[in-house]
Amino acid sequence: MSEQPPKRRKCGACKGDGHDRRNCPALRATQAENLAIPAVDNRNGVDGGPSRLPIGATMPEIIPNINWDKVCYVLFDLETTGGSRTKDDIIELAAMVLGPDGIAIEDGSFESLIRPHRKITPYITTLTGITNEMVKTAPTFPEVMNSFFRFVGGIVRSHCILSSTIVDAIVLVAHNGRAFDIPFLLRSLQGHNLQSLLSDDPRYGYFIDTLHVARTFLGGSAASPTNNRLGTLFPFVTGAEMENSHRAMGDVKALYTVFRSPQFWDRRIESLNAFPPIPAVDVSTESDSDESDSDTDSVEGRERVLVEQDIDESDPKNEDVDEVLGDYWQDGEFIPSEVPEEMFQKFTERFSSPRRPGERRTGLQVSEGMANSPIKAWRLIFTTAILERIVKHTNKYGQKKLSLDWTPIDKADLTDFIAVLFVMSIQKRKDKPSNWFSSNPLLESPVAKKITTGRQFQKMLRYLHCCDPDQNATSDDGEYDPSYKILEFKNSLEKRWAALFVPHQELSLDETLLRAFGRMKFKVRIISKAARYGIKLYVVTDAATAFVMGVLVYTGKYTYSDTRSESTKKTVQVVQQLCEPFRGSHRTVYVDRFYSSVDLLKQLEDMQLYTTGTILSNRIPRSMTIAKSSREFKAMNRGDSVSHVLTYTTTKGERKQAGLVAWKDRNIVYCITNDTPTAPMDECKRRGQGGIVTIKRPQVITKYNRHMGGVDLADMRRLHCHSTIMGQNRWWLKLFFYLLDVGTSNALVLYNEAMNGKQEPYNIVDFKNKVVEALVGPVLVDDIPSDQSVVRSDSDAHTAV
């Protein structure tokens, strides 16, 4: 019997004979130069030609100029159905978000199972404990990825809000991330056309591999671990055994402990890795056989792959080998044949609609734990930085006026002042502050006298300033702005509102009148408003919650100083300015007939916004109007309607269409929309002859009635207990009180959103009560005499926060 010839050694990297992967000269040269090797087709052995795939992450030649005090870390781990980045799926993702100091951020943990396209093999079930039954009802990969990146963005945003800092970079951290986790994640994202989740956020782009840190910096030490597995590094660092291994969250918790140890934390900067490039995916390429897919579906198949790579598992030096698993990772073109059409069709319908592109997380943008008490929600809006700026400007103005006689105030004095305003608004007292601190029992307010003294309150009221006293109405660019005294405070609050809350699909835009009788050039008279005289404000709110997103003060002709074109109607310019933050969001703006026009449709169409609103008959073609004296009007019954299609040309020259409906109630109501069909009808009840009658009504009118009242609802909430002081004719002080109440009303929305389903929603009175108790709680006790001056430190004033 002739002796069998020895089996020729075959390289798992270059497919050459006579050497193994560890001794491959081509692979070594490629790794040394941080380049990519030509792609090789595993199924037919044909050279892939010019396409070049990354063999792993690359170290940046120069460490980027990152401010490490403005970096957040995302520790994550993946569990998969196998080792092939192109044929296997992720079945579990867990992550933990750390601040710049390396401490885990509160509520910063994420964990989710993922429903794969292929079944989980018995080997993977034995290794991880994850069964096919467990992932049967789990969300899909696109759903989990969108949730995950929204979650990370929300946690980082919450950290920025609480710490009053900006995060410049988000660094991913994984064990064996260079060879497995990062390439697997990037391949999976691209396979589902979701790579924009990373590429659209410039803060991503770098990661740290703790396995690389262990190999580089721990190998030469006297007390080094026996190998560099996570299960070995954890007891090496802590002295305790690792629990719940091979489950994503268990590994992430262990990784957190290892990463925070000095041996790893102190080496994080020089261990920074750049994301590898990802080649384009050719969805037309399918697997030639099912046999190759099953190679890694069993223990035997996995062993065969390891043998082909000539890796000896019994060698302790190779226990922490980067699991590249042969050539499977180079199959960048493969996507399961039964998936692409369904997957991409769903993606197109859900994310790529020209009218509603992308999903966004609406409502509260911070974790519920950050707004689960009234004072927390209030301080999210009225941050320390905003209050300190008011204190700074007030002290500067007082020093300017009184010189050496001025006693500086601090933040505690300002919060006391605000607390008194809230108490008086709850009690609905609109008289002079001198009465509140009077010795006359019929006029005094015992609660106000416990919070602060009358002299201190009058001092705050007299010298309160929201802008630099040296500033004037002419800005640096030479433009005149009469509202300059309140502009800094208003802009700061609007930034906080935008950071904390994202409105839903519908926006409501309307004007309101703030009662004011002081001397000002822009005082207006609106006979239809209860106040009659005052300052007109244009307001945009979230229609669902009445959360105020923006306020524009009418200052006469200067309101339109930054407009796009003099030919644009002033009402259109107002809507444009208020809706600018929502450009490209494809939301629907609801306006009344004061603003609606075909010009408005054109301008908002260019901003990728849509319009629904009532419209005056003289702003539509005469052929579409119904005169009250016409036969057509007399022939119509109550509830009848006529629909038209209005064709118009946008500013870009595109032909668009809008629906116009004329509905007869008592009179003709015209409604124009480029968002809602005008044909569907529903019913409504009206008073008529013989009592209540039911008539037909177009659904576009119903939606208008439902969503248009956001500004009115915000006004009702504010006016229920609003802050004001009789005898104050300084117009900007009225605006300060208005913004203070609007900000508090918005904080109420944040609190109710955070506590949704956990308790009955608070009203504005209950909310202000809780805020006052937290601001000055230690003072409101019965054993403090009402005439005693209260002296306490700033830290005591906020004990309840």
Side-chain angles (χ1 to χ4, degrees):
M1 184 174 180
S2 61
E3 184 178 354
Q4 295 288 336
K7 186 176 180 180
R8 300 185 65 182
R9 304 172 71 185
K10 189 174 183 179
C11 176
C14 69
K15 297 297 182 181
D17 294 331
H19 63 273
D20 57 19
R21 182 184 180 85
R22 287 177 293 176
N23 300 316
C24 176
L27 181 60
R28 287 183 176 180
T30 303
Q31 290 174 332
E33 298 176 10
N34 285 331
L35 298 176
I37 62 176
V40 178
D41 191 317
N42 291 327
R43 295 179 293 276
N44 51 30
V46 178
D47 190 346
S51 62
R52 303 172 71 82
L53 305 182
I55 64 169
T58 59
M59 291 292 291
E61 296 181 0
I62 301 176
I63 296 179
N65 186 19
I66 294 178
N67 185 347
W68 290 91
D69 293 331
K70 297 182 179 180
V71 173
C72 279
Y73 306 88
V74 179
L75 279 60
F76 78 100
D77 185 68
L78 306 176
E79 300 298 337
T80 64
T81 58
S84 172
R85 291 141 180 76
T86 57
K87 298 178 184 178
D88 287 307
D89 299 322
I90 299 174
I91 56 176
E92 188 178 28
L93 168 68
M96 183 183 298
V97 185
L98 314 185
D101 55 358
I103 304 300
I105 298 176
E106 184 180 1
D107 299 327
S109 298
F110 180 93
E111 183 179 14
S112 177
L113 292 171
I114 303 174
R115 184 168 73 247
H117 294 124
R118 63 187 305 171
K119 289 186 177 181
I120 301 175
T121 63
Y123 171 77
I124 297 298
T125 298
T126 303
L127 183 67
T128 64
I130 302 175
T131 64
N132 288 298
E133 191 66 25
M134 293 170 60
V135 299
K136 186 176 181 180
T137 58
T140 62
F141 180 81
E143 293 171 343
V144 173
M145 286 299 103
N146 279 279
S147 299
F148 171 65
F149 283 101
R150 285 198 302 267
F151 169 81
V152 173
I155 292 297
V156 172
R157 191 180 303 111
S158 303
H159 169 76
C160 294
I161 292 169
L162 284 181
S163 60
S164 298
T165 59
I166 298 176
V167 171
D168 292 336
I170 300 176
V171 176
L172 304 185
V173 181
H175 193 74
N176 197 21
R178 295 180 63 174
F180 186 77
D181 294 84
I182 293 296
F184 210 121
L185 177 64
L186 297 181
R187 293 282 190 180
S188 300
L189 287 172
Q190 190 187 34
H192 292 80
N193 204 11
L194 296 174
Q195 61 270 27
S196 60
L197 293 175
L198 276 174
S199 60
D200 288 352
D201 193 335
R203 296 176 296 182
Y204 291 103
Y206 297 97
F207 72 95
I208 296 172
D209 182 4
T210 51
L211 175 60
H212 174 71
V213 178
R215 285 175 170 175
T216 306
F217 300 107
L218 297 184
S221 59
S224 60
T226 56
N227 59 66
N228 296 319
R229 287 179 173 176
L230 185 61
T232 305
L233 294 176
F234 183 82
F236 174 76
V237 171
T238 64
E241 291 298 324
M242 178 179 170
E243 299 180 357
N244 203 14
S245 177
H246 289 295
R247 284 302 298 269
M249 183 50 72
D251 289 350
V252 167
K253 291 180 179 178
L255 177 61
Y256 171 63
T257 303
V258 171
F259 182 62
R260 281 288 298 137
S261 63
Q263 301 98 312
F264 290 83
W265 180 255
D266 295 341
R267 300 291 186 180
R268 69 189 188 282
I269 298 179
E270 55 259 52
S271 303
L272 192 67
N273 294 265
F275 278 178
I278 306 178
V281 176
D282 183 5
V283 299
S284 63
T285 305
E286 299 182 0
S287 176
D288 291 342
S289 66
D290 296 331
E291 185 177 354
S292 61
D293 290 348
S294 62
D295 287 342
T296 55
D297 286 352
S298 62
V299 178
E300 292 81 11
R302 180 181 174 90
E303 290 173 349
R304 187 184 64 79
V305 172
L306 291 171
V307 169
E308 285 185 354
Q309 295 184 90
D310 197 19
I311 295 177
D312 184 7
E313 286 189 294
S314 63
D315 186 356
K317 296 180 180 180
N318 293 324
E319 287 186 345
D320 59 315
V321 168
D322 295 354
E323 284 193 325
V324 177
L325 298 184
D327 301 320
Y328 291 100
W329 70 286
Q330 296 181 7
D331 279 340
E333 298 83 7
F334 178 81
I335 289 182
S337 59
E338 70 277 8
V339 175
E341 182 176 356
E342 175 187 358
M343 179 179 69
F344 288 114
Q345 181 180 1
K346 181 178 180 181
F347 178 87
T348 301
E349 293 175 353
R350 189 170 184 181
F351 298 97
S352 302
S353 168
R355 296 293 297 275
R356 301 288 184 267
E359 286 188 343
R360 52 182 174 268
R361 176 189 174 189
T362 57
L364 184 66
Q365 295 298 295
V366 296
S367 61
E368 295 179 355
M370 297 180 62
N372 60 1
S373 70
I375 189 59
K376 284 184 178 180
W378 191 82
R379 288 201 178 279
L380 283 176
I381 292 179
F382 296 95
T383 61
T384 300
I386 293 177
L387 299 181
E388 289 288 0
R389 280 198 296 269
I390 297 177
V391 170
K392 176 183 176 182
H393 296 326
T394 302
N395 280 329
K396 186 173 182 180
Y397 182 71
Q399 184 71 24
K400 183 178 180 180
K401 290 294 183 181
L402 298 181
S403 188
L404 299 178
D405 294 334
W406 172 256
T407 303
I409 65 168
D410 56 18
K411 191 177 70 172
D413 295 322
L414 180 59
T415 55
D416 289 346
F417 176 78
I418 294 173
V420 172
L421 290 176
F422 284 177
V423 170
M424 296 300 101
S425 68
I426 295 171
Q427 297 179 0
K428 300 186 182 300
R429 292 192 59 167
K430 311 302 178 189
D431 53 338
K432 294 182 179 181
S434 57
N435 294 337
W436 308 346
F437 301 94
S438 171
S439 59
N440 187 341
L442 299 177
L443 300 177
E444 70 172 353
S445 172
V447 176
K449 296 176 73 172
K450 286 184 178 181
I451 295 174
T452 186
T453 64
R455 177 173 295 181
Q456 183 69 10
F457 185 87
Q458 293 285 4
K459 171 185 174 182
M460 287 290 304
L461 184 62
R462 171 65 182 84
Y463 296 101
L464 182 68
H465 244 64
C466 299
C467 69
D468 191 335
D470 297 332
Q471 180 183 349
N472 54 36
T474 303
S475 60
D476 296 336
D477 54 6
E479 293 186 355
Y480 179 75
D481 189 352
S483 63
Y484 73 100
K485 288 197 173 187
I486 204 69
L487 193 61
E488 179 182 331
F489 183 55
K490 181 180 80 73
N491 291 342
S492 299
L493 289 182
E494 287 180 343
K495 289 180 181 178
R496 304 298 306 140
W497 300 341
L500 295 168
F501 190 89
V502 171
H504 299 80
Q505 179 61 41
E506 294 81 14
L507 300 174
S508 174
L509 191 148
D510 204 354
E511 76 275 353
T512 186
L513 189 66
L514 182 63
R515 186 192 299 270
F517 297 97
R519 292 179 296 175
M520 69 197 83
K521 295 180 179 180
F522 46 87
K523 182 170 64 176
V524 298
R525 176 177 180 264
I526 303 179
I527 194 172
S528 60
K529 300 291 185 181
R532 297 293 180 93
Y533 292 92
I535 304 171
K536 183 162 70 171
L537 306 170
Y538 300 107
V539 183
V540 61
T541 69
D542 172 43
T545 61
F547 188 97
V548 176
M549 300 302 304
V551 177
L552 179 62
V553 182
Y554 173 77
T555 55
K557 64 179 182 180
Y558 305 105
T559 309
Y560 320 106
S561 58
D562 60 343
T563 53
R564 290 83 177 159
S565 173
E566 295 181 358
S567 60
T568 306
K569 294 180 179 179
K570 291 182 172 57
T571 54
V572 176
Q573 296 175 15
V574 167
V575 178
Q576 283 182 291
Q577 291 185 54
L578 286 174
C579 294
E580 186 63 35
F582 313 108
R583 177 185 289 271
S585 65
H586 293 262
R587 287 182 170 88
T588 303
V589 183
Y590 286 82
V591 294
D592 62 18
R593 60 183 184 177
F594 179 75
Y595 306 93
S596 292
S597 65
V598 178
D599 290 340
L600 180 63
L601 265 66
K602 294 178 181 180
Q603 297 296 335
L604 292 188
E605 184 84 35
D606 292 340
M607 299 172 65
Q608 295 183 337
L609 296 173
Y610 304 98
T611 310
T612 298
T614 55
I615 188 171
L616 294 170
S617 60
N618 60 3
R619 296 182 181 176
I620 59 177
R622 181 171 297 181
S623 60
M624 297 182 181
T625 61
I626 302 175
K628 199 170 183 179
S629 59
S630 65
R631 293 181 181 179
E632 186 179 3
F633 179 83
K634 296 177 181 179
M636 294 176 67
N637 296 320
R638 193 175 185 185
D640 292 345
S641 62
V642 180
S643 295
H644 302 275
V645 176
L646 178 66
T647 303
Y648 59 95
T649 304
T650 66
T651 56
K652 297 180 180 179
E654 300 175 353
R655 299 290 289 175
K656 298 289 185 178
Q657 291 183 334
L660 176 69
V661 62
W663 174 60
K664 184 178 181 181
D665 190 4
R666 292 188 181 275
N667 294 308
I668 297 294
V669 177
Y670 299 96
C671 186
I672 190 170
T673 178
N674 59 357
D675 177 74
T676 304
T678 58
M681 305 289 289
D682 59 13
E683 294 181 342
C684 64
K685 297 185 180 298
R686 289 289 188 269
R687 290 186 179 274
Q689 295 180 355
I692 303 297
V693 296
T694 301
I695 63 174
K696 292 183 178 180
R697 178 176 60 184
Q699 287 186 6
V700 63
I701 302 291
T702 304
K703 292 185 67 175
Y704 172 82
N705 290 340
R706 182 186 306 128
H707 299 303
M708 184 56 206
V711 177
D712 293 336
L713 181 59
D715 272 348
M716 290 169 59
R717 185 189 295 148
R718 176 184 63 85
L719 291 171
H720 187 65
C721 58
H722 65 290
S723 305
T724 187
I725 298 177
M726 182 181 294
Q728 294 299 317
N729 289 331
R730 287 175 290 171
W731 63 268
W732 68 266
L733 198 57
K734 300 284 186 179
L735 279 175
F736 173 80
F737 294 151
Y738 170 82
L739 293 172
L740 182 64
D741 286 336
V742 168
T744 304
S745 176
N746 283 351
L748 169 61
V749 175
L750 297 180
Y751 174 70
N752 285 336
E753 287 266 323
M755 303 301 292
N756 185 26
K758 300 178 182 178
Q759 66 178 31
E760 288 294 323
Y762 272 24
N763 57 38
I764 189 65
V765 176
D766 296 334
F767 185 79
K768 279 191 173 182
N769 266 320
K770 295 296 184 180
V771 171
V772 172
E773 290 176 6
L775 288 177
V776 293
V779 183
L780 300 179
V781 291
D782 295 335
D783 58 348
I784 297 181
S786 60
D787 58 347
Q788 178 177 342
S789 299
V790 179
V791 180
R792 63 186 187 283
S793 66
D794 185 47
S795 59
D796 293 333
H798 307 309
T799 303
V801 178

